[in-house]
Amino acid sequence: MNNTVNVNEEIINLITVQYDITKKEISDYKALRGQLIDENDKNLLDSILIIKNKHLKMLADLYYRFKGERLTALKTDDEIGDTASESCLSAKLKEAVLAELENAETYRSLTADFLNRSVRDTFSEIMTDCQNNALRFSLLLTKYS
């Protein structure tokens, strides 16, 4: 019984951290959108934002399942800020590719760590989305480098 409590607390902490990371990425990616020239590129970034918002919902749903409460981010949108304008577009796109690959690796580890099938399925879906987002950002990076 004690082990179950520790696993649930670990999941809750991981979900909260990943939720905040995803919120920051959404903020950064929204700021990037204004720097893109082509409407197709903006649509590609919009598809990434839709996926990231889906991840927020999935993480919030998992949190509710384990905690029985609604998830509130550790950081507010004001604390997250807008950092995308601090450097050139190609550098930010490269950072986005690397962030998505890091996210995929994090979710791959989480998928391997938990026995609960629905938790594993959720993390696996997010991992796959992150890998696909990295490819989308790579396309943009190729164009804007």
Side-chain angles (χ1 to χ4, degrees):
M1 183 69 173
N2 191 19
N3 188 31
T4 302
V5 172
N6 291 336
V7 170
N8 286 348
E9 289 175 10
E10 183 180 355
I11 293 172
I12 290 166
N13 289 335
L14 291 168
I15 289 169
T16 305
V17 168
Q18 290 306 120
Y19 188 88
D20 286 335
I21 289 170
T22 304
K23 281 192 66 99
K24 181 178 182 332
E25 289 170 342
I26 289 170
S27 176
D28 289 348
Y29 298 169
K30 282 181 180 177
L32 281 176
R33 191 182 189 285
Q35 296 178 350
L36 300 177
I37 299 167
D38 187 82
E39 198 61 36
N40 289 330
D41 298 339
K42 291 178 182 184
N43 290 338
L44 185 61
L45 187 56
D46 288 343
S47 71
I48 293 170
L49 288 168
I50 289 168
I51 291 167
K52 286 296 184 179
N53 280 302
K54 177 184 83 169
H55 293 171
L56 285 180
K57 182 181 180 330
M58 293 169 78
L59 291 167
D61 289 347
L62 271 180
Y63 183 91
Y64 183 79
R65 182 174 149 206
F66 285 99
K67 185 89 171 171
E69 301 171 0
R70 294 286 169 214
L71 177 63
T72 55
L74 295 177
K75 298 178 183 177
T76 65
D77 288 339
D78 292 337
E79 292 173 322
I80 291 172
D82 172 10
T83 60
S85 59
E86 293 175 4
S87 64
C88 72
L89 178 59
S90 63
K92 283 297 176 181
L93 290 170
K94 183 178 179 181
E95 286 177 23
V97 170
L98 295 174
E100 291 298 325
L101 291 174
E102 184 177 326
N103 288 340
E105 184 59 28
T106 298
Y107 286 108
R108 187 203 63 74
S109 294
L110 291 173
T111 300
D113 288 343
F114 292 101
L115 297 176
N116 183 298
R117 182 149 178 94
S118 65
V119 172
R120 288 173 59 109
D121 288 349
T122 299
F123 289 152
S124 180
E125 182 176 345
I126 295 173
M127 175 191 66
T128 302
D129 288 343
C130 291
Q131 291 169 333
N132 290 334
N133 285 346
L135 292 171
R136 289 178 179 100
F137 277 119
S138 292
L139 288 170
L140 293 173
L141 179 59
T142 300
K143 182 172 183 177
Y144 289 93
S145 291

PDB file of all heavy atoms in Angstrom, residues 93-131:
ATOM      1  N   LEU A  93      14.249  27.940 -33.384  1.00  0.00           N
ATOM      2  CA  LEU A  93      13.748  26.718 -34.016  1.00  0.00           C
ATOM      3  C   LEU A  93      14.632  25.524 -33.649  1.00  0.00           C
ATOM      4  O   LEU A  93      14.134  24.427 -33.386  1.00  0.00           O
ATOM      5  CB  LEU A  93      13.655  26.889 -35.531  1.00  0.00           C
ATOM      6  CG  LEU A  93      12.554  27.838 -36.014  1.00  0.00           C
ATOM      7  CD1 LEU A  93      12.706  28.126 -37.503  1.00  0.00           C
ATOM      8  CD2 LEU A  93      11.175  27.273 -35.704  1.00  0.00           C
ATOM      9  N   LYS A  94      15.937  25.753 -33.607  1.00  0.00           N
ATOM     10  CA  LYS A  94      16.856  24.683 -33.197  1.00  0.00           C
ATOM     11  C   LYS A  94      16.581  24.277 -31.748  1.00  0.00           C
ATOM     12  O   LYS A  94      16.540  23.088 -31.421  1.00  0.00           O
ATOM     13  CB  LYS A  94      18.302  25.133 -33.362  1.00  0.00           C
ATOM     14  CG  LYS A  94      19.305  24.057 -33.029  1.00  0.00           C
ATOM     15  CD  LYS A  94      20.729  24.536 -33.257  1.00  0.00           C
ATOM     16  CE  LYS A  94      21.709  23.436 -32.887  1.00  0.00           C
ATOM     17  NZ  LYS A  94      23.099  23.864 -33.064  1.00  0.00           N
ATOM     18  N   GLU A  95      16.370  25.267 -30.881  1.00  0.00           N
ATOM     19  CA  GLU A  95      16.029  24.978 -29.482  1.00  0.00           C
ATOM     20  C   GLU A  95      14.736  24.177 -29.394  1.00  0.00           C
ATOM     21  O   GLU A  95      14.614  23.272 -28.572  1.00  0.00           O
ATOM     22  CB  GLU A  95      15.876  26.275 -28.687  1.00  0.00           C
ATOM     23  CG  GLU A  95      17.170  26.973 -28.362  1.00  0.00           C
ATOM     24  CD  GLU A  95      16.943  28.296 -27.646  1.00  0.00           C
ATOM     25  OE1 GLU A  95      15.867  28.481 -27.015  1.00  0.00           O
ATOM     26  OE2 GLU A  95      17.835  29.159 -27.728  1.00  0.00           O
ATOM     27  N   ALA A  96      13.774  24.501 -30.256  1.00  0.00           N
ATOM     28  CA  ALA A  96      12.493  23.789 -30.252  1.00  0.00           C
ATOM     29  C   ALA A  96      12.677  22.333 -30.675  1.00  0.00           C
ATOM     30  O   ALA A  96      12.077  21.431 -30.078  1.00  0.00           O
ATOM     31  CB  ALA A  96      11.488  24.497 -31.165  1.00  0.00           C
ATOM     32  N   VAL A  97      13.505  22.100 -31.690  1.00  0.00           N
ATOM     33  CA  VAL A  97      13.784  20.720 -32.110  1.00  0.00           C
ATOM     34  C   VAL A  97      14.382  19.948 -30.946  1.00  0.00           C
ATOM     35  O   VAL A  97      13.936  18.841 -30.609  1.00  0.00           O
ATOM     36  CB  VAL A  97      14.748  20.682 -33.331  1.00  0.00           C
ATOM     37  CG1 VAL A  97      15.228  19.264 -33.593  1.00  0.00           C
ATOM     38  CG2 VAL A  97      14.081  21.261 -34.563  1.00  0.00           C
ATOM     39  N   LEU A  98      15.388  20.532 -30.311  1.00  0.00           N
ATOM     40  CA  LEU A  98      16.061  19.860 -29.195  1.00  0.00           C
ATOM     41  C   LEU A  98      15.126  19.651 -28.010  1.00  0.00           C
ATOM     42  O   LEU A  98      15.158  18.596 -27.360  1.00  0.00           O
ATOM     43  CB  LEU A  98      17.304  20.647 -28.782  1.00  0.00           C
ATOM     44  CG  LEU A  98      18.411  20.713 -29.847  1.00  0.00           C
ATOM     45  CD1 LEU A  98      19.533  21.642 -29.391  1.00  0.00           C
ATOM     46  CD2 LEU A  98      18.937  19.336 -30.174  1.00  0.00           C
ATOM     47  N   ALA A  99      14.261  20.631 -27.740  1.00  0.00           N
ATOM     48  CA  ALA A  99      13.310  20.491 -26.637  1.00  0.00           C
ATOM     49  C   ALA A  99      12.328  19.355 -26.898  1.00  0.00           C
ATOM     50  O   ALA A  99      12.015  18.567 -25.993  1.00  0.00           O
ATOM     51  CB  ALA A  99      12.552  21.806 -26.425  1.00  0.00           C
ATOM     52  N   GLU A 100      11.845  19.263 -28.133  1.00  0.00           N
ATOM     53  CA  GLU A 100      10.906  18.198 -28.466  1.00  0.00           C
ATOM     54  C   GLU A 100      11.576  16.822 -28.371  1.00  0.00           C
ATOM     55  O   GLU A 100      10.964  15.856 -27.901  1.00  0.00           O
ATOM     56  CB  GLU A 100      10.304  18.412 -29.859  1.00  0.00           C
ATOM     57  CG  GLU A 100       9.364  19.597 -29.943  1.00  0.00           C
ATOM     58  CD  GLU A 100       8.142  19.486 -29.057  1.00  0.00           C
ATOM     59  OE1 GLU A 100       7.618  18.367 -28.873  1.00  0.00           O
ATOM     60  OE2 GLU A 100       7.695  20.519 -28.535  1.00  0.00           O
ATOM     61  N   LEU A 101      12.827  16.732 -28.797  1.00  0.00           N
ATOM     62  CA  LEU A 101      13.550  15.465 -28.670  1.00  0.00           C
ATOM     63  C   LEU A 101      13.784  15.112 -27.205  1.00  0.00           C
ATOM     64  O   LEU A 101      13.661  13.947 -26.805  1.00  0.00           O
ATOM     65  CB  LEU A 101      14.879  15.536 -29.438  1.00  0.00           C
ATOM     66  CG  LEU A 101      14.750  15.599 -30.962  1.00  0.00           C
ATOM     67  CD1 LEU A 101      16.116  15.825 -31.599  1.00  0.00           C
ATOM     68  CD2 LEU A 101      14.092  14.346 -31.510  1.00  0.00           C
ATOM     69  N   GLU A 102      14.096  16.111 -26.393  1.00  0.00           N
ATOM     70  CA  GLU A 102      14.263  15.879 -24.954  1.00  0.00           C
ATOM     71  C   GLU A 102      12.941  15.438 -24.323  1.00  0.00           C
ATOM     72  O   GLU A 102      12.907  14.522 -23.499  1.00  0.00           O
ATOM     73  CB  GLU A 102      14.779  17.148 -24.273  1.00  0.00           C
ATOM     74  CG  GLU A 102      15.066  16.971 -22.800  1.00  0.00           C
ATOM     75  CD  GLU A 102      15.639  18.219 -22.166  1.00  0.00           C
ATOM     76  OE1 GLU A 102      16.381  18.958 -22.836  1.00  0.00           O
ATOM     77  OE2 GLU A 102      15.334  18.460 -20.975  1.00  0.00           O
ATOM     78  N   ASN A 103      11.848  16.074 -24.736  1.00  0.00           N
ATOM     79  CA  ASN A 103      10.527  15.669 -24.247  1.00  0.00           C
ATOM     80  C   ASN A 103      10.230  14.223 -24.615  1.00  0.00           C
ATOM     81  O   ASN A 103       9.727  13.447 -23.798  1.00  0.00           O
ATOM     82  CB  ASN A 103       9.428  16.564 -24.829  1.00  0.00           C
ATOM     83  CG  ASN A 103       9.418  17.949 -24.244  1.00  0.00           C
ATOM     84  OD1 ASN A 103       9.955  18.184 -23.172  1.00  0.00           O
ATOM     85  ND2 ASN A 103       8.825  18.876 -24.957  1.00  0.00           N
ATOM     86  N   ALA A 104      10.534  13.859 -25.860  1.00  0.00           N
ATOM     87  CA  ALA A 104      10.283  12.490 -26.307  1.00  0.00           C
ATOM     88  C   ALA A 104      11.057  11.503 -25.442  1.00  0.00           C
ATOM     89  O   ALA A 104      10.519  10.457 -25.045  1.00  0.00           O
ATOM     90  CB  ALA A 104      10.661  12.331 -27.779  1.00  0.00           C
ATOM     91  N   GLU A 105      12.294  11.832 -25.128  1.00  0.00           N
ATOM     92  CA  GLU A 105      13.105  10.951 -24.283  1.00  0.00           C
ATOM     93  C   GLU A 105      12.542  10.869 -22.865  1.00  0.00           C
ATOM     94  O   GLU A 105      12.501   9.794 -22.266  1.00  0.00           O
ATOM     95  CB  GLU A 105      14.561  11.434 -24.254  1.00  0.00           C
ATOM     96  CG  GLU A 105      15.491  10.538 -23.483  1.00  0.00           C
ATOM     97  CD  GLU A 105      15.556   9.113 -24.006  1.00  0.00           C
ATOM     98  OE1 GLU A 105      15.331   8.884 -25.207  1.00  0.00           O
ATOM     99  OE2 GLU A 105      15.832   8.206 -23.198  1.00  0.00           O
ATOM    100  N   THR A 106      12.086  11.981 -22.335  1.00  0.00           N
ATOM    101  CA  THR A 106      11.469  11.990 -21.003  1.00  0.00           C
ATOM    102  C   THR A 106      10.245  11.086 -20.979  1.00  0.00           C
ATOM    103  O   THR A 106      10.095  10.249 -20.084  1.00  0.00           O
ATOM    104  CB  THR A 106      11.070  13.423 -20.594  1.00  0.00           C
ATOM    105  OG1 THR A 106      12.255  14.220 -20.527  1.00  0.00           O
ATOM    106  CG2 THR A 106      10.350  13.448 -19.262  1.00  0.00           C
ATOM    107  N   TYR A 107       9.379  11.243 -21.968  1.00  0.00           N
ATOM    108  CA  TYR A 107       8.162  10.426 -22.007  1.00  0.00           C
ATOM    109  C   TYR A 107       8.467   8.964 -22.313  1.00  0.00           C
ATOM    110  O   TYR A 107       7.768   8.073 -21.846  1.00  0.00           O
ATOM    111  CB  TYR A 107       7.141  11.007 -22.990  1.00  0.00           C
ATOM    112  CG  TYR A 107       6.479  12.243 -22.441  1.00  0.00           C
ATOM    113  CD1 TYR A 107       6.765  13.509 -22.945  1.00  0.00           C
ATOM    114  CD2 TYR A 107       5.592  12.156 -21.377  1.00  0.00           C
ATOM    115  CE1 TYR A 107       6.170  14.637 -22.420  1.00  0.00           C
ATOM    116  CE2 TYR A 107       4.989  13.287 -20.842  1.00  0.00           C
ATOM    117  CZ  TYR A 107       5.283  14.523 -21.365  1.00  0.00           C
ATOM    118  OH  TYR A 107       4.694  15.642 -20.836  1.00  0.00           O
ATOM    119  N   ARG A 108       9.539   8.700 -23.064  1.00  0.00           N
ATOM    120  CA  ARG A 108       9.951   7.316 -23.296  1.00  0.00           C
ATOM    121  C   ARG A 108      10.348   6.673 -21.973  1.00  0.00           C
ATOM    122  O   ARG A 108       9.950   5.550 -21.663  1.00  0.00           O
ATOM    123  CB  ARG A 108      11.121   7.233 -24.286  1.00  0.00           C
ATOM    124  CG  ARG A 108      11.462   5.789 -24.680  1.00  0.00           C
ATOM    125  CD  ARG A 108      12.880   5.635 -25.168  1.00  0.00           C
ATOM    126  NE  ARG A 108      13.879   5.951 -24.172  1.00  0.00           N
ATOM    127  CZ  ARG A 108      14.200   5.184 -23.111  1.00  0.00           C
ATOM    128  NH1 ARG A 108      13.580   4.060 -22.894  1.00  0.00           N
ATOM    129  NH2 ARG A 108      15.132   5.553 -22.270  1.00  0.00           N
ATOM    130  N   SER A 109      11.099   7.399 -21.168  1.00  0.00           N
ATOM    131  CA  SER A 109      11.489   6.890 -19.851  1.00  0.00           C
ATOM    132  C   SER A 109      10.275   6.673 -18.962  1.00  0.00           C
ATOM    133  O   SER A 109      10.183   5.663 -18.257  1.00  0.00           O
ATOM    134  CB  SER A 109      12.450   7.868 -19.166  1.00  0.00           C
ATOM    135  OG  SER A 109      13.656   7.933 -19.870  1.00  0.00           O
ATOM    136  N   LEU A 110       9.347   7.613 -18.997  1.00  0.00           N
ATOM    137  CA  LEU A 110       8.141   7.479 -18.183  1.00  0.00           C
ATOM    138  C   LEU A 110       7.308   6.281 -18.631  1.00  0.00           C
ATOM    139  O   LEU A 110       6.753   5.561 -17.801  1.00  0.00           O
ATOM    140  CB  LEU A 110       7.302   8.760 -18.250  1.00  0.00           C
ATOM    141  CG  LEU A 110       7.911   9.983 -17.575  1.00  0.00           C
ATOM    142  CD1 LEU A 110       7.069  11.220 -17.851  1.00  0.00           C
ATOM    143  CD2 LEU A 110       8.070   9.757 -16.086  1.00  0.00           C
ATOM    144  N   THR A 111       7.240   6.078 -19.933  1.00  0.00           N
ATOM    145  CA  THR A 111       6.490   4.937 -20.457  1.00  0.00           C
ATOM    146  C   THR A 111       7.081   3.635 -19.934  1.00  0.00           C
ATOM    147  O   THR A 111       6.351   2.717 -19.552  1.00  0.00           O
ATOM    148  CB  THR A 111       6.504   4.950 -21.997  1.00  0.00           C
ATOM    149  OG1 THR A 111       5.890   6.163 -22.445  1.00  0.00           O
ATOM    150  CG2 THR A 111       5.742   3.777 -22.575  1.00  0.00           C
ATOM    151  N   ALA A 112       8.385   3.567 -19.871  1.00  0.00           N
ATOM    152  CA  ALA A 112       9.058   2.349 -19.410  1.00  0.00           C
ATOM    153  C   ALA A 112       8.940   2.166 -17.896  1.00  0.00           C
ATOM    154  O   ALA A 112       9.003   1.037 -17.404  1.00  0.00           O
ATOM    155  CB  ALA A 112      10.528   2.385 -19.819  1.00  0.00           C
ATOM    156  N   ASP A 113       8.753   3.262 -17.168  1.00  0.00           N
ATOM    157  CA  ASP A 113       8.775   3.201 -15.700  1.00  0.00           C
ATOM    158  C   ASP A 113       7.460   2.777 -15.058  1.00  0.00           C
ATOM    159  O   ASP A 113       7.461   2.364 -13.900  1.00  0.00           O
ATOM    160  CB  ASP A 113       9.186   4.560 -15.112  1.00  0.00           C
ATOM    161  CG  ASP A 113      10.662   4.851 -15.331  1.00  0.00           C
ATOM    162  OD1 ASP A 113      11.408   3.903 -15.638  1.00  0.00           O
ATOM    163  OD2 ASP A 113      11.046   6.019 -15.206  1.00  0.00           O
ATOM    164  N   PHE A 114       6.354   2.897 -15.757  1.00  0.00           N
ATOM    165  CA  PHE A 114       5.066   2.658 -15.123  1.00  0.00           C
ATOM    166  C   PHE A 114       4.374   1.439 -15.706  1.00  0.00           C
ATOM    167  O   PHE A 114       4.372   1.217 -16.911  1.00  0.00           O
ATOM    168  CB  PHE A 114       4.164   3.892 -15.258  1.00  0.00           C
ATOM    169  CG  PHE A 114       4.679   5.048 -14.453  1.00  0.00           C
ATOM    170  CD1 PHE A 114       5.379   6.069 -15.063  1.00  0.00           C
ATOM    171  CD2 PHE A 114       4.514   5.083 -13.077  1.00  0.00           C
ATOM    172  CE1 PHE A 114       5.883   7.123 -14.328  1.00  0.00           C
ATOM    173  CE2 PHE A 114       5.012   6.138 -12.330  1.00  0.00           C
ATOM    174  CZ  PHE A 114       5.703   7.154 -12.957  1.00  0.00           C
ATOM    175  N   LEU A 115       3.791   0.652 -14.830  1.00  0.00           N
ATOM    176  CA  LEU A 115       3.107  -0.573 -15.233  1.00  0.00           C
ATOM    177  C   LEU A 115       1.674  -0.318 -15.673  1.00  0.00           C
ATOM    178  O   LEU A 115       1.132  -1.064 -16.476  1.00  0.00           O
ATOM    179  CB  LEU A 115       3.121  -1.593 -14.089  1.00  0.00           C
ATOM    180  CG  LEU A 115       4.511  -2.071 -13.653  1.00  0.00           C
ATOM    181  CD1 LEU A 115       4.385  -3.000 -12.445  1.00  0.00           C
ATOM    182  CD2 LEU A 115       5.222  -2.771 -14.793  1.00  0.00           C
ATOM    183  N   ASN A 116       1.055   0.726 -15.141  1.00  0.00           N
ATOM    184  CA  ASN A 116      -0.333   1.022 -15.454  1.00  0.00           C
ATOM    185  C   ASN A 116      -0.471   1.307 -16.950  1.00  0.00           C
ATOM    186  O   ASN A 116       0.149   2.226 -17.486  1.00  0.00           O
ATOM    187  CB  ASN A 116      -0.801   2.221 -14.621  1.00  0.00           C
ATOM    188  CG  ASN A 116      -2.248   2.544 -14.846  1.00  0.00           C
ATOM    189  OD1 ASN A 116      -2.654   2.882 -15.947  1.00  0.00           O
ATOM    190  ND2 ASN A 116      -3.020   2.447 -13.790  1.00  0.00           N
ATOM    191  N   ARG A 117      -1.287   0.504 -17.620  1.00  0.00           N
ATOM    192  CA  ARG A 117      -1.391   0.572 -19.080  1.00  0.00           C
ATOM    193  C   ARG A 117      -1.914   1.917 -19.581  1.00  0.00           C
ATOM    194  O   ARG A 117      -1.404   2.457 -20.561  1.00  0.00           O
ATOM    195  CB  ARG A 117      -2.272  -0.553 -19.603  1.00  0.00           C
ATOM    196  CG  ARG A 117      -2.385  -0.560 -21.111  1.00  0.00           C
ATOM    197  CD  ARG A 117      -2.557  -1.974 -21.632  1.00  0.00           C
ATOM    198  NE  ARG A 117      -2.712  -1.982 -23.055  1.00  0.00           N
ATOM    199  CZ  ARG A 117      -1.713  -2.150 -23.898  1.00  0.00           C
ATOM    200  NH1 ARG A 117      -0.498  -2.329 -23.463  1.00  0.00           N
ATOM    201  NH2 ARG A 117      -1.929  -2.162 -25.188  1.00  0.00           N
ATOM    202  N   SER A 118      -2.909   2.475 -18.933  1.00  0.00           N
ATOM    203  CA  SER A 118      -3.462   3.735 -19.431  1.00  0.00           C
ATOM    204  C   SER A 118      -2.463   4.883 -19.254  1.00  0.00           C
ATOM    205  O   SER A 118      -2.387   5.773 -20.106  1.00  0.00           O
ATOM    206  CB  SER A 118      -4.796   4.054 -18.766  1.00  0.00           C
ATOM    207  OG  SER A 118      -4.635   4.280 -17.396  1.00  0.00           O
ATOM    208  N   VAL A 119      -1.682   4.852 -18.177  1.00  0.00           N
ATOM    209  CA  VAL A 119      -0.638   5.862 -17.984  1.00  0.00           C
ATOM    210  C   VAL A 119       0.434   5.693 -19.063  1.00  0.00           C
ATOM    211  O   VAL A 119       0.866   6.663 -19.691  1.00  0.00           O
ATOM    212  CB  VAL A 119      -0.021   5.756 -16.564  1.00  0.00           C
ATOM    213  CG1 VAL A 119       1.185   6.678 -16.425  1.00  0.00           C
ATOM    214  CG2 VAL A 119      -1.061   6.069 -15.499  1.00  0.00           C
ATOM    215  N   ARG A 120       0.831   4.454 -19.291  1.00  0.00           N
ATOM    216  CA  ARG A 120       1.830   4.169 -20.319  1.00  0.00           C
ATOM    217  C   ARG A 120       1.332   4.609 -21.694  1.00  0.00           C
ATOM    218  O   ARG A 120       2.092   5.193 -22.476  1.00  0.00           O
ATOM    219  CB  ARG A 120       2.162   2.677 -20.348  1.00  0.00           C
ATOM    220  CG  ARG A 120       2.973   2.206 -19.162  1.00  0.00           C
ATOM    221  CD  ARG A 120       3.109   0.692 -19.177  1.00  0.00           C
ATOM    222  NE  ARG A 120       3.742   0.236 -20.403  1.00  0.00           N
ATOM    223  CZ  ARG A 120       4.968  -0.251 -20.479  1.00  0.00           C
ATOM    224  NH1 ARG A 120       5.679  -0.364 -19.389  1.00  0.00           N
ATOM    225  NH2 ARG A 120       5.447  -0.653 -21.628  1.00  0.00           N
ATOM    226  N   ASP A 121       0.081   4.346 -22.000  1.00  0.00           N
ATOM    227  CA  ASP A 121      -0.489   4.739 -23.294  1.00  0.00           C
ATOM    228  C   ASP A 121      -0.483   6.257 -23.457  1.00  0.00           C
ATOM    229  O   ASP A 121      -0.180   6.775 -24.533  1.00  0.00           O
ATOM    230  CB  ASP A 121      -1.907   4.196 -23.453  1.00  0.00           C
ATOM    231  CG  ASP A 121      -1.947   2.696 -23.680  1.00  0.00           C
ATOM    232  OD1 ASP A 121      -0.880   2.086 -23.920  1.00  0.00           O
ATOM    233  OD2 ASP A 121      -3.057   2.121 -23.601  1.00  0.00           O
ATOM    234  N   THR A 122      -0.833   6.960 -22.390  1.00  0.00           N
ATOM    235  CA  THR A 122      -0.836   8.430 -22.441  1.00  0.00           C
ATOM    236  C   THR A 122       0.571   8.952 -22.692  1.00  0.00           C
ATOM    237  O   THR A 122       0.789   9.788 -23.578  1.00  0.00           O
ATOM    238  CB  THR A 122      -1.402   9.017 -21.132  1.00  0.00           C
ATOM    239  OG1 THR A 122      -2.747   8.578 -20.972  1.00  0.00           O
ATOM    240  CG2 THR A 122      -1.359  10.540 -21.142  1.00  0.00           C
ATOM    241  N   PHE A 123       1.541   8.471 -21.911  1.00  0.00           N
ATOM    242  CA  PHE A 123       2.923   8.919 -22.090  1.00  0.00           C
ATOM    243  C   PHE A 123       3.449   8.530 -23.468  1.00  0.00           C
ATOM    244  O   PHE A 123       4.174   9.288 -24.101  1.00  0.00           O
ATOM    245  CB  PHE A 123       3.820   8.350 -20.992  1.00  0.00           C
ATOM    246  CG  PHE A 123       3.589   8.960 -19.634  1.00  0.00           C
ATOM    247  CD1 PHE A 123       3.844   8.221 -18.496  1.00  0.00           C
ATOM    248  CD2 PHE A 123       3.141  10.259 -19.482  1.00  0.00           C
ATOM    249  CE1 PHE A 123       3.653   8.769 -17.228  1.00  0.00           C
ATOM    250  CE2 PHE A 123       2.934  10.813 -18.226  1.00  0.00           C
ATOM    251  CZ  PHE A 123       3.198  10.065 -17.096  1.00  0.00           C
ATOM    252  N   SER A 124       3.080   7.365 -23.954  1.00  0.00           N
ATOM    253  CA  SER A 124       3.519   6.910 -25.270  1.00  0.00           C
ATOM    254  C   SER A 124       2.959   7.803 -26.377  1.00  0.00           C
ATOM    255  O   SER A 124       3.675   8.153 -27.329  1.00  0.00           O
ATOM    256  CB  SER A 124       3.089   5.461 -25.486  1.00  0.00           C
ATOM    257  OG  SER A 124       3.491   5.002 -26.741  1.00  0.00           O
ATOM    258  N   GLU A 125       1.704   8.182 -26.255  1.00  0.00           N
ATOM    259  CA  GLU A 125       1.107   9.069 -27.257  1.00  0.00           C
ATOM    260  C   GLU A 125       1.791  10.433 -27.259  1.00  0.00           C
ATOM    261  O   GLU A 125       2.105  10.985 -28.320  1.00  0.00           O
ATOM    262  CB  GLU A 125      -0.393   9.243 -26.996  1.00  0.00           C
ATOM    263  CG  GLU A 125      -1.072  10.109 -28.030  1.00  0.00           C
ATOM    264  CD  GLU A 125      -2.570  10.217 -27.841  1.00  0.00           C
ATOM    265  OE1 GLU A 125      -3.174   9.423 -27.099  1.00  0.00           O
ATOM    266  OE2 GLU A 125      -3.151  11.128 -28.470  1.00  0.00           O
ATOM    267  N   ILE A 126       2.048  10.975 -26.072  1.00  0.00           N
ATOM    268  CA  ILE A 126       2.736  12.266 -25.992  1.00  0.00           C
ATOM    269  C   ILE A 126       4.143  12.143 -26.564  1.00  0.00           C
ATOM    270  O   ILE A 126       4.611  13.031 -27.288  1.00  0.00           O
ATOM    271  CB  ILE A 126       2.749  12.795 -24.546  1.00  0.00           C
ATOM    272  CG1 ILE A 126       1.317  13.097 -24.072  1.00  0.00           C
ATOM    273  CG2 ILE A 126       3.610  14.055 -24.446  1.00  0.00           C
ATOM    274  CD1 ILE A 126       1.208  13.465 -22.604  1.00  0.00           C
ATOM    275  N   MET A 127       4.843  11.048 -26.262  1.00  0.00           N
ATOM    276  CA  MET A 127       6.192  10.819 -26.779  1.00  0.00           C
ATOM    277  C   MET A 127       6.187  10.835 -28.311  1.00  0.00           C
ATOM    278  O   MET A 127       7.016  11.502 -28.939  1.00  0.00           O
ATOM    279  CB  MET A 127       6.739   9.483 -26.281  1.00  0.00           C
ATOM    280  CG  MET A 127       8.083   9.119 -26.874  1.00  0.00           C
ATOM    281  SD  MET A 127       8.582   7.425 -26.539  1.00  0.00           S
ATOM    282  CE  MET A 127       7.356   6.510 -27.469  1.00  0.00           C
ATOM    283  N   THR A 128       5.242  10.125 -28.911  1.00  0.00           N
ATOM    284  CA  THR A 128       5.154  10.067 -30.366  1.00  0.00           C
ATOM    285  C   THR A 128       4.867  11.448 -30.947  1.00  0.00           C
ATOM    286  O   THR A 128       5.462  11.855 -31.951  1.00  0.00           O
ATOM    287  CB  THR A 128       4.067   9.063 -30.795  1.00  0.00           C
ATOM    288  OG1 THR A 128       4.391   7.786 -30.238  1.00  0.00           O
ATOM    289  CG2 THR A 128       3.969   8.953 -32.303  1.00  0.00           C
ATOM    290  N   ASP A 129       3.969  12.187 -30.300  1.00  0.00           N
ATOM    291  CA  ASP A 129       3.677  13.555 -30.749  1.00  0.00           C
ATOM    292  C   ASP A 129       4.929  14.423 -30.692  1.00  0.00           C
ATOM    293  O   ASP A 129       5.177  15.225 -31.598  1.00  0.00           O
ATOM    294  CB  ASP A 129       2.582  14.187 -29.884  1.00  0.00           C
ATOM    295  CG  ASP A 129       1.202  13.621 -30.140  1.00  0.00           C
ATOM    296  OD1 ASP A 129       0.995  12.969 -31.184  1.00  0.00           O
ATOM    297  OD2 ASP A 129       0.320  13.831 -29.275  1.00  0.00           O
ATOM    298  N   CYS A 130       5.717  14.293 -29.635  1.00  0.00           N
ATOM    299  CA  CYS A 130       6.948  15.085 -29.498  1.00  0.00           C
ATOM    300  C   CYS A 130       7.933  14.752 -30.622  1.00  0.00           C
ATOM    301  O   CYS A 130       8.574  15.652 -31.171  1.00  0.00           O
ATOM    302  CB  CYS A 130       7.588  14.861 -28.131  1.00  0.00           C
ATOM    303  SG  CYS A 130       6.647  15.544 -26.754  1.00  0.00           S
ATOM    304  N   GLN A 131       8.050  13.488 -30.946  1.00  0.00           N
ATOM    305  CA  GLN A 131       8.929  13.096 -32.055  1.00  0.00           C
ATOM    306  C   GLN A 131       8.450  13.718 -33.361  1.00  0.00           C
ATOM    307  O   GLN A 131       9.257  14.234 -34.149  1.00  0.00           O
ATOM    308  CB  GLN A 131       8.971  11.573 -32.176  1.00  0.00           C
ATOM    309  CG  GLN A 131       9.685  10.906 -31.022  1.00  0.00           C
ATOM    310  CD  GLN A 131       9.487   9.396 -30.998  1.00  0.00           C
ATOM    311  OE1 GLN A 131       8.486   8.879 -31.483  1.00  0.00           O
ATOM    312  NE2 GLN A 131      10.446   8.698 -30.412  1.00  0.00           N
TER     313      GLN A 131
END
